């Protein structure tokens, strides 16, 4: 190019711009050339660019593509992040291709919280440089990773997957839940398959089981605790879902009736509830009965026997537990004193215990007293009265029962003979009368009485007068 002092930018012939000038065969002047800009396959613009001016800044349009950001120009249709950084206009026409980009976001849930990976996609006149994504298989305690859910699609893994738009995927997990049912008779086992899709969609397997039966008991429901007092967690199992392995124990109840006789043959009752946990534990109801009173008697306690000779099994019923229906009888006692007089006005005593069972039965104490002796007297037996003429109540006392305090007196006898004669009477009979004298050890006597008539006694020259 010939230098005329300064660079000639434009030459016109008339109103027409001269693009090139030659001196001989040498190009001595160039006003620039045409640049064709392809914004997309079907969209192109042309501009004349002055010589040595940049070709990368068109002035008649702005390169745009919906959803994308302009990156720069290339001289081919390759979609790439590598674009021309500098290009000035020479003498030849140029064709440039616009490169656009947009970010593709992959959002993934492997738990309750989302994470995002962003990668660029490039576009150049129908050609793409796609974004590829890889997400490692996430672990979740207690669950088995099954893959990823994307809309209606499932991926067993997500490795080098091409995405053309923002995408959200959800980790899928599975596990088997074991539910053991302890009924008190059998142990049943259910395996429920469960799934979980992050961040919070659970599909837990369900369990349906008929209520168990146990002879003599009423089924109340299922507990997770082993105590007989454990709360019911499930009244029944009907499509019941479980979120973790579980062992359930059947809980049962039965009514316990305490029947008690305090003082007579009329019963009173109290009821309570006994519980059984199929783990093997029981909870028995407790009862309290006020201590009864009975005039003249001392309360000994309660017995399950109606026999008055049976000792009390419970001294009191105060918060006492019972595991089965029970009948109790109050047992009472009183002291029986046997006072006896073996000798005159001298007493001795023996004591024993009489028992009463509220069923209406008694047990009386027995006593043995040796027969007393008294010189010149015959022991007749024991009288309940101090009178010497009292009837004999006991001929002897050998294991004799007494139900009340008793005083006995020894009764003795001796024969009294009254002999009589006529004292040399000339007529009449000589004879005698024998009667019995009694002695009561209370100190009283009963002497016999005799009646004697003249008995026909006569004597010459005498008349009978008296004895």
């Amino acid at each position: 190019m010939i230098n005329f002092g300064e660079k000639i930018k434009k030459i016109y012939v008339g109103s027409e711009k001269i693009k090139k000038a030659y001196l001989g065969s040498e190009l001595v002047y160039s006003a620039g050339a045409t640049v064709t800009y392809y914004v997309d396959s079907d969209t192109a613009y042309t501009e004349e660019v002055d010589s040595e001016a940049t070709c990368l800044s068109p002035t008649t349009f702005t390169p745009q593509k919906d959803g994308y950001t302009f990156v720069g120009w290339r001289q081919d249709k390759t979609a790439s992040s590598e674009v021309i950084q500098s290009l000035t206009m020479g003498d030849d026409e140029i064709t440039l291709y616009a490169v656009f980009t947009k970010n593709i976001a992959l959002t993934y849930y492997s738990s309750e919280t989302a994470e995002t990976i962003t990668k660029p996609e490039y576009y150049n006149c129908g050609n793409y440089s796609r974004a590829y994504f890889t997400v490692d298989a996430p672990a979740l305690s207690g669950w088995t990773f099954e893959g990823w859910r994307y809309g209606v699609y499932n991926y067993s893994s997500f490795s080098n997957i091409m995405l053309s738009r923002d995408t959200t995927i959800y980790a899928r997990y599975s596990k088997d839940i074991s539910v053991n049912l302890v009924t008190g008779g059998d142990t049943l086992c259910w395996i429920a398959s469960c799934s979980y899709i992050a961040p919070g969609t659970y599909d837990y397997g369900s369990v349906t089981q008929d209520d168990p039966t146990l002879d003599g008991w009423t089924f109340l429901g299922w507990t997770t605790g082993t105590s007989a007092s454990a709360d019911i967690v499930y009244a029944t199992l009907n499509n019941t879902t479980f979120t973790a392995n579980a062992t359930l124990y059947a809980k049962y109840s039965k009514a316990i009736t305490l029947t008690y006789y305090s003082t007579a043959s009329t019963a009173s009752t109290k009821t309570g509830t006994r519980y059984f946990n199929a783990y093997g534990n029981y909870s028995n109801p407790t009862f309290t009965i006020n201590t009864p009173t009975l005039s003249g008697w001392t309360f000994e306690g309660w017995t399950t026997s109606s026999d008055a000779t049976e000792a009390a099994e419970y001294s009191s019923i105060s918060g006492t537990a019972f595991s089965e229906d029970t009948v109790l009888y109050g047992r009472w006692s009183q002291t029986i004193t046997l006072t006896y007089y073996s000798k005159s006005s001298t007493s001795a005593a023996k004591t024993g215990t009489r028992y009463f069972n509220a069923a209406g039965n008694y047990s009386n104490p027995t006593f043995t007293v040796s027969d007393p002796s008294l010189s010149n007297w015959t022991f007749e037996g024991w009288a309940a009265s101090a009178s010497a003429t009292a009837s004999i109540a006991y001929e002897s006392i050998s294991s004799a029962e007494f139900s009340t305090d008793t005083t006995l007196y020894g009764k003795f006898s001796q024969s009294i003979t009254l002999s009589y004669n006529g004292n040399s009477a000339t007529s009449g009979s000589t004879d005698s009368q024998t009667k019995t004298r009694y002695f009561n050890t209370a100190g009283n006597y009963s002497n016999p009485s005799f009646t004697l008539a003249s008995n026909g006694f006569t004597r010459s020259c005498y008349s009978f007068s008296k004895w």
Side-chain angles (χ1 to χ4, degrees):
M1 180 178 289
I2 299 175
N3 188 348
F4 292 97
E6 66 178 25
K7 183 179 179 180
I8 298 173
K9 296 181 178 180
K10 295 179 181 180
I11 300 175
Y12 292 88
V13 176
S15 61
E16 184 177 350
K17 179 181 177 182
I18 302 299
K19 294 182 178 181
K20 293 181 180 181
Y22 292 88
L23 183 60
S25 59
E26 182 181 356
L27 178 65
V28 296
Y29 166 76
S30 176
T34 300
V35 179
T36 301
Y37 298 94
Y38 280 91
V39 176
D40 207 339
S41 299
D42 300 323
T43 304
Y45 302 89
T46 59
E47 286 188 8
E48 287 187 1
V49 177
D50 292 339
S51 177
E52 297 183 10
T54 180
C55 300
L56 304 181
S57 299
T59 59
T60 59
F61 70 97
T62 299
Q64 298 181 66
K65 181 173 176 59
D66 188 37
Y68 286 81
T69 300
F70 176 69
V71 176
W73 300 97
R74 289 181 62 90
Q75 290 183 289
D76 59 28
K77 294 182 180 182
T78 301
S80 171
S81 62
E82 296 180 0
V83 295
I84 300 172
Q85 300 299 317
S86 175
L87 181 64
T88 57
M89 192 65 210
D91 297 326
D92 299 320
E93 292 184 353
I94 295 175
T95 300
L96 297 177
Y97 301 89
V99 177
F100 297 89
T101 189
K102 68 176 179 180
N103 285 328
I104 305 295
L106 172 65
T107 300
Y108 63 95
Y109 286 88
S110 58
S111 62
E112 307 300 317
T113 303
E115 297 185 59
T116 301
I117 300 173
T118 301
K119 290 188 176 182
E121 174 188 278
Y122 294 95
Y123 175 80
N124 185 341
C125 292
N127 297 317
Y128 293 89
S129 174
R130 298 293 192 181
Y132 289 82
F133 294 82
T134 295
V135 181
D136 293 334
L140 184 63
S141 178
W143 295 83
T144 299
F145 178 70
E146 295 291 341
W148 298 93
R149 170 68 59 84
Y150 167 48
V152 297
Y153 302 102
N154 291 315
Y155 296 91
S156 59
S157 65
F158 209 88
S159 178
N160 201 33
I161 302 298
M162 184 275 290
L163 297 178
S164 61
R165 60 184 177 181
D166 291 347
T167 301
T168 300
I169 59 176
Y170 306 89
R172 297 183 298 115
Y173 301 88
S174 69
K175 68 177 175 180
D176 287 337
I177 289 180
S178 175
V179 180
N180 295 309
L181 306 178
V182 182
T183 67
D186 300 318
T187 297
L188 310 175
C189 183
W190 282 81
I191 302 297
S193 296
C194 307
S195 65
Y196 164 60
I197 300 178
T201 302
Y202 293 87
D203 182 13
Y204 288 104
S206 63
V207 172
T208 296
Q209 177 63 47
D210 293 338
D211 294 343
T213 59
L214 190 62
D215 189 38
W217 294 84
T218 299
F219 175 72
L220 298 179
W222 300 95
T223 76
T224 55
T226 59
S227 168
S229 61
D231 292 335
I232 299 296
V233 178
Y234 303 98
T236 189
L237 297 178
N238 184 16
N239 283 330
T240 306
T241 58
F242 290 86
T243 62
N245 294 340
T247 298
L248 302 182
Y249 303 94
K251 184 176 180 180
Y252 303 87
S253 71
K254 68 163 61 174
I256 300 296
T257 299
L258 179 65
T259 303
Y260 59 98
Y261 295 81
S262 296
T263 59
S265 56
T266 301
S268 299
T269 59
K270 290 189 175 186
T271 58
T273 303
R274 187 185 194 207
Y275 296 98
F276 169 57
N277 184 302
Y279 181 80
N281 293 322
Y282 295 85
S283 172
N284 297 319
T286 59
F287 298 87
T288 296
I289 303 174
N290 293 331
T291 300
T293 59
L294 183 60
S295 178
W297 293 83
T298 299
F299 182 69
E300 295 287 326
W302 302 92
T303 174
T304 57
S305 172
S306 61
D307 190 341
T309 64
E310 292 292 332
E313 298 166 51
Y314 304 92
S315 59
S316 66
I317 303 297
S318 178
T320 307
F322 288 86
S323 61
E324 59 186 355
D325 292 345
T326 304
V327 178
L328 296 178
Y329 302 92
R331 191 185 193 220
W332 305 82
S333 69
Q334 61 181 192
T335 300
I336 300 298
T337 300
L338 175 63
T339 303
Y340 56 96
Y341 289 80
S342 297
K343 298 180 180 180
S344 179
S345 302
T346 300
S347 66
K350 290 187 176 184
T351 59
T353 304
R354 186 187 192 206
Y355 294 99
F356 166 60
N357 185 296
N361 299 318
Y362 294 86
S363 173
N364 297 319
T366 61
F367 297 88
T368 296
V369 179
S370 299
D371 293 345
S373 62
L374 186 61
S375 180
N376 298 321
W377 291 84
T378 299
F379 180 69
E380 296 286 334
W382 299 93
S385 171
S387 171
T389 60
S391 300
I392 296 299
Y394 301 91
E395 291 184 2
S396 66
I397 300 174
S398 178
S399 297
E401 288 189 9
F402 290 85
S403 61
T404 60
D405 290 342
T406 303
T407 300
L408 297 178
Y409 302 91
K411 185 178 181 180
F412 294 85
S413 68
Q414 62 182 194
S415 294
I416 303 296
T417 300
L418 177 62
S419 299
Y420 52 93
N421 60 60
N423 194 20
S424 302
T426 57
S427 63
S429 62
T430 299
D431 205 348
S432 65
Q433 292 184 23
T434 299
K435 291 190 177 183
T436 303
R437 185 187 189 201
Y438 295 100
F439 168 61
N440 186 299
T441 53
N444 299 318
Y445 293 87
S446 172
N447 296 315
S449 58
F450 296 87
T451 301
L452 298 176
S454 62
N455 202 26
F457 292 125
T458 62
R459 186 172 184 176
S460 178
C461 299
Y462 288 85
S463 61
F464 180 79
S465 174
K466 57 183 179 181
W467 297 96

